[in-house]
């Protein structure tokens, strides 16, 4: 039997279940139903326990409990006011707990009973509301259509229900029918209508509703005005939102929160912060929503000073340990680059917290600031304290793993994800895992993750294309891109740029041109990321004229675009064009990058400009504040070696502040081969083989050096050593693209389907060349099998 104490009649509409205390508290926070509540003194508020309502912990009990309650507690006449109130209370619990079967049971009981018209209307309104909350909006609509009487509350239930169930056009249809029916909306109906305007993304409808609000005399209502300014802000009309706020004769904390949130959402972060200060100065109390809203604004401003002002307010309100506020504080500090402050907030309040929100914020903060090791260690601590990981934890964590390139940790965390539910339900987590495998250099891992995805989005495809492109699997990158297009996915700037890189590496000029056309077709022509990739592609594919045209059309070329054009000139031997463009880049105040200087060194090397090249190299630190990388050192060695300054190149290597790698020594070895210095070549080769004993290029280059200096026996012996040690030379190949298809050719190739025609043509060319007096150079050809 339901034990409800003798009490003043009260509607428990919009009561909420407290998971911590296990009670249902009566409150009147829902404006859509407040018009139906009896006005009672606050001292008469009633708290009813779940056990007192005899409801089980499951949402489905097939109406058995509800039937018992009706049989045992409702035993007096239908007109009894207490009985109506008890039914309302039960319907509200059904709505909150989404008990659809119980709602149907009560609905059936009401229809069989003999309630007065007013009580019947009240009860059916609440039945309609319960159906809507149980996501059975069709039953809600059927009930509404059959109701012989309707009031403002009836229509408001349908409008709010339409919003909550995603039937926005239906909701506005109900609002319009309400007016046609001659039913004048109240403040709550207008607030619901304004929510519909936001859902329909219709500023025009919003202005129409605003006009009605003014005509109906609600323009001074603080609740409606708050809904109005919120509507304008969410639809991007910040000016009208501010006008509404400034015209309000009465404001409350919700109004201030709405204007702060609206300004932040529309990018007016400084204005949002100033409104917060104004709110504080005028004596309005701040709550969680206020603080979180203004912290989002400060986060976007990246202003640590303003962040500390907010933190001071949080401390004054004694809300440092509030999980929501503390999480926002950590996130704000991390975004402002103040990791020490973020860590202080975390360590002081949440290091023993069992809720994952602060942990997630701190891990994300470490990841954004590229402190990947700290992020990984914090995750380990999180696991030790048995704090549950979620989607946000894993996404940030895999970004940190990608940054640190820690393959072992990646596999361990991936295994943890596989044991959880997130691998099955979250595409974002799968994308993050795939990206981590790509950054760790495991193309096989990326492909496995991709193939196992039940669903894919553009991020999934972009991750795979980029992984193949950056992993030098360019043909695979283009194949995946083509498959993506066939399956109907639209490209983004990153997918297109990665595919252009693959085209540039394979010299696929025609395919690159098609991608250039696709750029315009998809409206990505102003994306600098793609424009730079286009310049690079045309330059590497031998079409420097088209590269110049693309570069000339870039409105605000950045350092990447300038570098791509300089690199194009350098590769085409247009050394002075490259140097002139670099000079112009400096005059425009665009700071060169390390890659820019590498392109300039490359140009000087191929142009034999030793003095200029050395000047640029020694200027890297002094003038450009750049630290030379191993490629820069290798380029200088190549610069000196090409003109025969082998001793100078060797001395340069010896004086390097870092240990030279095989790339640097190979540059010297290549120069030794060109200038036939086998003695210095031996030194370079031994340096390479001491680090990379299976490095075939060192054997081949030194062997060829011996051969070209007349030491055939030493050259042959070195090749034999190479074979005994199982060192295999990667075969060189040439390729040509015809009608969009690449044809590869290896030495003595017997695999090509048209080999007979090809060798016949080569023989004709050989005969013609011999007739013209060409004599082949056999200095690097071994007399024994190669």
């Amino acid at each position: 039997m339901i034990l409800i104490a003798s009490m003043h009649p009260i509607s428990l509409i919009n009561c909420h279940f407290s998971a911590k205390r296990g009670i249902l508290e009566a409150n009147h926070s829902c404006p859509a139903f407040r018009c139906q509540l009896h006005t009672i003194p606050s001292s008469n508020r009633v708290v009813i326990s779940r056990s007192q309502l005899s409801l089980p912990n499951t949402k489905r009990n097939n109406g058995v409990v509800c039937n018992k309650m009706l049989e045992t507690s409702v035993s007096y006449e239908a007109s009894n006011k207490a009985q109506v109130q008890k039914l309302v209370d039960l319907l509200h619990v059904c709505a909150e707990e989404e008990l659809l079967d119980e709602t149907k049971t009560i609905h059936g009981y009401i229809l069989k009973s003999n309630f007065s018209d007013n009580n019947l209307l009240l009860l059916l309104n609440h039945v309609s509301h319960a159906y809507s909350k149980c996501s059975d909006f069709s039953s809600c609509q059927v009930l509404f259509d059959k109701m012989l009487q309707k009031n403002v509350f009836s229509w408001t239930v349908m409008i709010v229900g339409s919003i909550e169930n995603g039937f926005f056009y239906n909701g506005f249809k109900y609002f319009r029918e309400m007016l046609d029916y001659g039913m004048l909306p109240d403040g709550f109906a207008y607030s619901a209508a304004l929510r519909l305007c936001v859902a329909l993304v219709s500023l025009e409808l919003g202005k129409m509703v605003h006009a009605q609000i003014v005509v109906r005399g609600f323009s001074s209502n603080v609740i409606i005005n708050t809904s109005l300014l919120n509507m304008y802000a969410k639809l991007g009309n910040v000016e009208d939102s501010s006008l509404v706020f400034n015209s309000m004769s009465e404001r409350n904390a919700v109004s201030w929160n709405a204007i702060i949130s609206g300004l932040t959402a529309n990018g007016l972060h400084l204005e949002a912060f100033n409104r917060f200060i104004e709110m504080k100065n005028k004596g309005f109390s701040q709550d969680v929503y206020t603080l979180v809203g203004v912290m989002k604004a400060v986060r976007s401003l990246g202003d640590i000073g303003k962040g500390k002002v907010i933190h001071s307010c949080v401390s004054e309100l004694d809300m440092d340990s509030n999980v929501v506020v503390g999480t926002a504080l950590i996130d704000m500090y991390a975004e402002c680059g103040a990791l020490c402050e973020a860590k202080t907030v975390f360590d002081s309040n949440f290091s023993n917290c069992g809720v994952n929100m602060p942990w997630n914020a701190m891990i994300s903060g470490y990841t954004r600031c590229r402190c990947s090791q700290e992020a990984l260690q914090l995750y380990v601590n999180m696991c030790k304290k048995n704090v549950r990981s979620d989607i946000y934890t894993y996404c940030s964590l895999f970004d940190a793993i990608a940054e640190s390139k820690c393959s072992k940790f990646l596999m361990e965390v991936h295994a943890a994800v596989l044991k959880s539910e997130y691998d099955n339900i979250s595409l974002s987590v799968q994308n993050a895992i795939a990206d981590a495998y790509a950054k760790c250099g495991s193309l096989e891992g990326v492909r496995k993750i991709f193939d196992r995805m039940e669903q894919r989005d553009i991020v999934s495809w972009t991750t795979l294309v980029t992984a193949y492109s950056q992993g030098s699997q360019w043909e695979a990158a283009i194949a995946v891109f083509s498959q993506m297009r066939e399956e109907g996915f639209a490209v983004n700037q990153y997918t297109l740029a990665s595919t252009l890189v693959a085209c540039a590496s394979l010299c696929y000029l025609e395919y690159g041109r098609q991608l250039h056309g696709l750029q315009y077709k998809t409206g990505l022509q102003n994306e600098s990321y793609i424009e730079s990739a286009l310049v690079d592609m045309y330059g590497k594919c031998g079409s420097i004229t088209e590269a110049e045209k693309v570069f000339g059309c870039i409105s605000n070329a950045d350092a990447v675009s300038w570098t791509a054009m300089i690199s194009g000139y350098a590769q085409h031997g247009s050394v002075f064009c490259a140097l002139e463009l670099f000079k112009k880049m400096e005059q425009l105040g665009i700071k060169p990058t390390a890659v820019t200087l590498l392109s300039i060194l490359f140009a000087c090397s191929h142009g034999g400009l030793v003095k200029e090249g050395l000047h640029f190299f020694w200027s890297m630190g002094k003038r450009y504040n750049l630290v030379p990388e191993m490629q820069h050192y290798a380029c200088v060695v190549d610069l000196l070696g090409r003109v025969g300054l082998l001793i100078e190149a060797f001395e340069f290597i010896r004086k390097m502040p870092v240990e030279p790698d095989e790339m640097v020594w190979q540059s010297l070895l290549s120069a030794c081969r060109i200038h036939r210095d086998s003695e210095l070549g031996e030194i370079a080769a031994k340096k390479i083989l001491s680090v990379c004993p299976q490095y075939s290029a060192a054997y081949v280059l030194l062997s060829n050096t011996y051969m070209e200096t007349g030491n055939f026996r030493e050259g042959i012996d070195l090749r034999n050593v190479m074979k005994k040690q199982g060192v295999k030379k990667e075969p060189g190949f040439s390729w040509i693209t015809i009608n969009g298809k690449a044809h590869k050719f290896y030495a003595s190739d017997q695999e090509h389907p048209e080999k007979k025609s090809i060798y016949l043509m080569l023989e004709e060319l050989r005969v013609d060349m011999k007739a013209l007096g060409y004599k082949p150079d056999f200095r690097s050809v071994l007399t024994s099998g190669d």
Side-chain angles (χ1 to χ4, degrees), residues 305-335:
K306 290 181 172 57
K308 289 184 177 179
V309 170
I310 304 300
H311 193 176
S312 176
C313 295
V314 171
S315 299
E316 288 175 10
L317 295 168
D318 196 25
M319 297 181 71
D320 300 77
S321 58
N322 180 285
V323 171
V324 176
V325 174
T327 299
L329 263 177
I330 295 168
D331 187 61
M332 177 193 70
Y333 274 133
E335 188 65 25

Side-chain angles (χ1 to χ4, degrees), residues 398-675:
F398 283 113
D399 286 344
I401 293 172
E403 175 69 25
S404 66
K405 296 180 173 57
C406 184
S407 301
K408 183 181 178 182
F409 199 79
L410 167 60
M411 289 186 283
E412 290 175 356
V413 179
H414 187 191
V417 174
L418 291 173
K419 292 177 182 178
S420 70
E421 60 186 83
Y422 298 111
D423 187 56
N424 296 323
I425 67 170
S426 175
L427 181 58
S428 59
V429 171
Q430 293 180 74
N431 286 337
I433 296 171
D435 182 63
Y437 274 108
K439 297 287 174 58
C440 290
S442 175
L443 294 179
E444 183 182 358
V446 182
R447 186 78 220 198
K448 283 182 179 179
I449 297 296
F450 182 83
D451 290 340
R452 289 171 183 169
M453 289 180 177
E454 294 182 5
Q455 291 183 323
R456 298 166 184 151
D457 60 8
I458 186 60
V459 177
S460 314
W461 289 96
T462 301
T463 301
L464 186 60
V465 171
T466 304
Y468 278 133
S469 184
Q470 293 179 348
S472 301
Q473 300 290 324
W474 302 304
E475 289 180 330
I478 292 173
V480 172
F481 179 82
S482 299
Q483 182 186 351
M484 181 190 81
R485 294 287 295 154
E486 288 174 4
E487 293 192 17
F489 285 88
V491 302
N492 62 19
Q493 65 185 88
Y494 305 108
T495 322
L496 203 55
S498 294
T499 313
L500 283 168
V501 169
C503 291
S505 302
L506 293 168
C507 296
Y508 279 12
L509 180 59
E510 289 304 319
Y511 200 96
R513 284 173 175 156
Q514 292 176 30
L515 294 179
H516 193 177
L518 183 61
Q519 177 203 20
Y520 279 87
K521 186 177 179 181
T522 53
L524 297 172
Q525 60 269 25
N526 294 322
E527 295 289 347
S528 61
Y529 198 67
I530 299 177
E531 290 171 326
S532 300
L534 277 169
V535 173
D536 183 64
M537 183 273 297
Y538 280 125
K540 287 181 177 176
C541 290
S543 183
I544 197 68
T545 303
E546 288 178 279
E548 289 174 330
K549 286 181 180 178
V550 174
F551 181 75
C553 293
I554 302 176
S555 55
N556 294 306
D558 57 10
V560 178
S561 305
W562 285 87
T563 301
M565 194 67 242
I566 291 169
S567 177
Y569 281 134
Q571 291 179 28
H572 281 262
S574 302
V575 179
F576 294 102
C577 288
L579 294 177
E580 189 63 33
L581 194 62
F582 180 76
K583 183 179 178 181
K584 186 177 179 181
M585 175 184 177
E586 284 192 295
Q587 289 173 347
L588 292 173
I590 300 171
K591 185 180 177 181
T593 65
V595 181
T596 315
L597 268 298
L598 185 64
S599 299
I600 286 296
L601 288 173
F602 181 82
C604 292
S605 175
H606 284 253
L609 304 177
V610 177
K611 183 179 178 181
E612 292 83 350
L614 291 174
H615 168 73
F616 283 118
F617 177 80
W618 296 119
S619 299
M620 284 186 69
K622 297 177 182 178
R623 183 171 181 178
Y624 305 112
N625 197 28
L626 295 170
V627 178
E629 298 172 11
M630 201 61 71
Q631 289 177 306
H632 297 94
Y633 289 109
C635 209
V636 172
V637 173
D638 184 66
L639 170 72
L640 296 168
R642 278 178 182 267
V643 294
L645 299 174
L646 300 181
I647 300 301
E648 289 81 353
F650 181 65
E651 287 299 316
F652 176 82
I653 294 174
R654 285 202 318 111
K655 294 178 181 179
M656 280 174 57
V658 293
E659 186 68 25
D661 66 359
E662 66 275 7
M663 180 171 53
V664 175
W665 287 111
Q666 184 177 318
S667 296
L668 179 61
L669 182 55
S670 298
C672 290
R673 182 217 162 190
I674 294 170
H675 296 284

Side-chain angles (χ1 to χ4, degrees), residues 163-417:
I163 297 170
E164 292 176 345
N165 288 276
F167 301 107
F168 307 128
Y169 288 101
N170 284 15
F172 215 86
K173 182 194 75 171
Y174 284 121
F175 180 72
R176 188 192 63 202
E177 288 178 356
M178 179 183 186
L179 299 174
D180 294 341
Y181 196 79
M183 192 71 62
L184 296 177
D186 59 10
F188 307 114
Y190 278 126
S191 293
L194 290 170
R195 286 176 60 192
L196 275 171
C197 297
V198 173
L200 293 169
V201 196
S202 177
L203 184 60
E204 185 180 357
L205 287 175
K207 288 183 176 181
M208 291 179 181
V209 176
H210 189 177
Q212 277 213 16
I213 288 169
V214 173
V215 171
R216 288 275 290 120
F218 286 102
S219 54
S220 61
N221 186 299
V222 65
I223 296 175
I224 295 181
N225 279 329
T226 300
S227 297
L228 267 174
L229 71 89
N230 188 55
M231 180 270 294
Y232 280 123
K234 287 186 176 178
L235 295 178
N237 192 335
V238 189
E239 185 178 351
D240 283 347
S241 179
S242 296
L243 283 173
V244 172
F245 182 80
N246 292 334
S247 67
M248 291 173 67
S249 57
E250 180 188 353
R251 296 171 185 160
N252 57 20
V254 179
S255 312
W256 286 96
N257 290 351
I259 193 64
I260 291 170
S261 175
L263 291 168
T264 301
N266 285 278
L268 300 174
H269 308 301
L270 183 58
E271 290 84 344
F273 177 79
N274 291 336
R275 285 290 190 185
F276 170 78
I277 297 300
E278 183 185 354
M279 174 187 184
K280 189 173 183 296
N281 291 338
K282 290 191 175 181
F284 286 90
S285 59
Q286 302 94 48
D287 58 15
V288 172
Y289 304 103
T290 320
L291 296 169
V292 170
V294 73
M295 277 191 274
K296 285 182 181 178
V298 174
R299 177 184 185 274
S300 299
L301 287 171
D303 190 327
I304 185 64
K306 290 181 172 57
K308 289 184 177 179
V309 170
I310 304 300
H311 193 176
S312 176
C313 295
V314 171
S315 299
E316 288 175 10
L317 295 168
D318 196 25
M319 297 181 71
D320 300 77
S321 58
N322 180 285
V323 171
V324 176
V325 174
T327 299
L329 263 177
I330 295 168
D331 187 61
M332 177 193 70
Y333 274 133
E335 188 65 25
C336 293
L339 274 180
C340 290
E341 286 80 358
K343 188 175 184 299
T344 299
V345 174
F346 179 82
D347 291 343
S348 300
N349 302 287
F350 306 110
S351 58
N352 293 311
C353 179
V355 180
N356 62 21
M357 288 171 58
W359 293 87
N360 289 348
M362 197 66 239
I363 292 172
S364 176
Y366 278 135
T367 303
R368 285 201 304 272
C369 295
R370 298 195 169 186
C371 297
S372 54
Q373 293 301 322
E374 289 82 352
L376 301 185
Q377 184 57 53
L378 189 61
Y379 171 73
V380 172
N381 295 341
M382 181 178 176
C383 293
K384 287 179 180 178
K385 293 184 182 295
N386 295 318
V387 181
R388 184 174 178 268
S389 300
D390 61 11
I391 294 171
Y392 305 104
T393 317
Y394 288 129
C395 285
S396 296
L397 185 63
F398 283 113
D399 286 344
I401 293 172
E403 175 69 25
S404 66
K405 296 180 173 57
C406 184
S407 301
K408 183 181 178 182
F409 199 79
L410 167 60
M411 289 186 283
E412 290 175 356
V413 179
H414 187 191
V417 174

